Amino acid sequence: IDDAYRMKQKHNGPRPDDWSRGKNREKGNEQNDGADAEEEQEQTYEAPSDNAGDASTEKMNAEDNNEQLEDTEEVTEGADGNEEQEETTEIQKDTRNYDVDGDVDEDALEEDANAKENNEHVEDTEEGNEGGDDEEEQEETTETNEDTSNVDGDVPAEEETNGAETNEQVVDAEEDVNEVADDEEEEEETTSDTNSDVDGDIPAEEETNGAETNEPVVDAEEVSEAELPVATISTSYTVLEQDTHDSLSFTQGISYCSDGKIYETTGLYGQSKVRRINPDTFEVEKSIDTPREFFGEGSTCFIGKDGKEYLIEITWRERRGFVYEVPSLELLHSFDYTTTAPGNQGWGITYDPNNHELIVSDGSEYLYFWNVENFEMKRRVTVTRFDGEIQDQINELEFMDGLVCYNIWHEDEIICADPWTGKSVREYDFSDIWPANQRGNSENVLNGIALGKDHVLITGKRWDRIYKVAFDDWPTLFD
C-alpha cells in the first residue's frame, strides 16, 4: 500500500485539487464521504509535521492515509483519469502564477505545502537513491504537464485510454516501480505529441513534406501536357486520280450506293436535279428534275425498314424531303421535317449503317439524328473543333469509319467529328487540291464527299473536276 501511494504521488505530483474538489463539489453521498476522507487525510498529514521525531506514529498515519486515499479514489475513479491529470496540471500552473498575478489563495498555498511535507515523509521510508530518482522524475513529469496544460481542446480518445491504463498500474502495487515509471514517461511523451495536434495545426515538417509531395505531381502534369501532341489540321492526303465533272452541277450531295453507282443532287431554284453517274466514266446515266419551287440540297442512300435501299433528298428552305427508288430514281413519296427553328433548313445528309439512323445538317452548329422509319429527330449534338470552338456552317456530310465528316460552307476543309460528342477527331485542309483563285466564282466552294471501296471522291459546286483521294494517316478508313 505504501508503494502504491508513493507511486500515485510520484507520478501525479502534489494534488491540492483533491482537497478543493472534496470541499467544493456536492455530488451525492459517496462524493461527500470522499470529501470527509480528504479532510481527515489533511488533518492527519499535519500531525507528523509537529512530531517529526516519532517515526512509528508517522508510519501508522501514512498507512491510515493510504487506506483513506484508496477509499477516496473509489469515489472519483469513475471520472476520466486523463481529466484528473489535466485538472491537476491546471492547478499547478495557477499556483506557479500566483506571484505573477498577485492574487494569492492562502488556503491553497497551505494545502500545497502540507501535501509536499507528507510526500517527503512517505518517501523517507524508501531508499535514498530511489527517492532522489523519483523526485527528478516527478520534476520532469511536472514540466511535461505544464507544457500539456497549454493545449486547448478535448483530449483524444487514445490519450484517455492511456491515462486510464496508467491509473490502474499505479493502484496495482505488484507492478515493478521502474517499469511503471518507464510506462508513465512514455505515456506523457505520447500525450505531449498527441496534444500538439489537438488544435488542428499541421506540424511544419508535415506541411513541408506535403508541399514536396504536391510539387512533383504538378510538375508531372505539366510535363505530361507538354509531351501530348497538339492536334492540328492535316494535309496528309494523296490524289489518286482526277476525273471530269459537270461544271454546271451546283453539287449539294454525292454518295455511292450499294449498286456501285454514284448518286448526286444539285441545287438552285429551277435547276435542281437528281442524277445517277457511272463510276468509271463519270458520265451521267440518268437525271430527273426536282420541282422548280424547291432548292435541292444534300442526299444519301439508306436502308429502309423493309430492308431495301432508297435515296433520300432534302431541300433548303421548304422543309420538304423526297424518297426515291434505287436505281430507277422513281419518286416514291415526300415528307416534312424540322431542324433548327425558325428556318428549319436542310443542308447535308448522310447515313450511319451501324446505328441505322440518318444524320442531318442545317447550316447551324448542330447535327440532327433521325429515325429512318419516320424521319423524326432522335437527338442532336453540337459540333466543335480541335480548339474547342463551336463550328457552324456545316454543309455536305459523309459517314466514314464511324465519324461524321463534313464540308464547311466557304471553307476548303473537311472535318470529321464523333457522332456522340460532336468533337472534332480529324481535320484536313484541301485548299491546295484546287486553289480558290482558279475556280472563278466565290460560290464555287468545296462541297462533295463520297466514300468508295478504296478511295474518297472530292468535288465542289460547279467544279469541272472530281478527285479520288486517299488519306495517308487514316489506314483503317477502307477496312
Side-chain angles (χ1 to χ4, degrees), residues 111-302:
E111 291 170 355
D112 186 47
N114 291 335
K116 290 181 178 179
E117 291 176 2
N118 292 333
N119 289 337
E120 291 174 359
H121 289 305
V122 173
E123 289 170 358
D124 288 340
T125 61
E126 302 297 326
E127 293 181 0
N129 292 337
E130 185 176 354
D133 295 337
D134 292 340
E135 288 178 0
E136 292 178 0
E137 291 176 359
Q138 181 175 353
E139 290 176 359
E140 293 175 357
T141 301
T142 302
E143 292 175 358
T144 304
N145 289 338
E146 180 181 358
D147 296 337
T148 305
S149 65
N150 294 329
V151 180
D152 297 332
D154 297 332
V155 179
E158 180 181 356
E159 182 183 347
E160 293 177 356
T161 302
N162 292 337
E165 293 175 354
T166 304
N167 289 335
E168 292 177 1
Q169 293 172 348
V170 171
V171 175
D172 188 0
E174 294 180 357
E175 292 291 332
D176 183 76
V177 173
N178 293 328
E179 291 180 357
V180 173
D182 293 340
D183 292 343
E184 185 75 13
E185 184 177 355
E186 290 176 0
E187 177 204 350
E188 289 168 352
E189 291 177 355
T190 303
T191 301
S192 177
D193 294 340
T194 304
N195 285 340
S196 65
D197 294 334
V198 170
D199 290 335
D201 297 331
I202 301 174
E205 181 179 356
E206 183 176 342
E207 292 178 345
T208 303
N209 292 337
E212 293 175 354
T213 302
N214 291 334
E215 288 178 359
V217 173
V218 174
D219 294 340
E221 291 177 353
E222 292 175 355
V223 171
S224 178
E225 291 178 359
E227 291 178 351
L228 288 175
V230 178
T232 57
I233 195 165
S234 172
T235 57
S236 183
Y237 66 88
T238 300
V239 175
L240 303 176
E241 184 179 326
Q242 178 180 332
D243 294 289
T244 59
H245 180 254
D246 183 0
S247 61
L248 299 178
S249 294
F250 199 76
T251 304
Q252 301 287 63
I254 189 170
S255 59
Y256 279 100
C257 287
S258 60
D259 60 0
K261 304 290 185 177
I262 301 171
Y263 291 83
E264 181 184 28
T265 54
T266 66
L268 300 177
Y269 287 108
Q271 301 180 35
S272 298
K273 301 179 183 298
V274 180
R275 291 175 169 175
R276 187 181 71 231
I277 299 173
N278 186 300
D280 297 325
T281 63
F282 290 93
E283 294 179 355
V284 176
E285 294 181 343
K286 187 172 184 176
S287 178
I288 62 172
D289 295 336
T290 303
R292 297 184 64 83
E293 65 272 25
F294 296 100
F295 190 113
E297 284 286 349
S299 61
T300 191
C301 293
F302 73 99

Side-chain angles (χ1 to χ4, degrees), residues 59-79:
K59 184 172 183 180
M60 182 181 300
N61 289 337
E63 291 176 354
D64 292 339
N65 289 336
N66 289 334
E67 293 176 357
Q68 293 172 356
L69 179 59
E70 289 179 352
D71 294 338
T72 301
E73 288 175 346
E74 289 178 358
V75 176
T76 60
E77 199 165 41

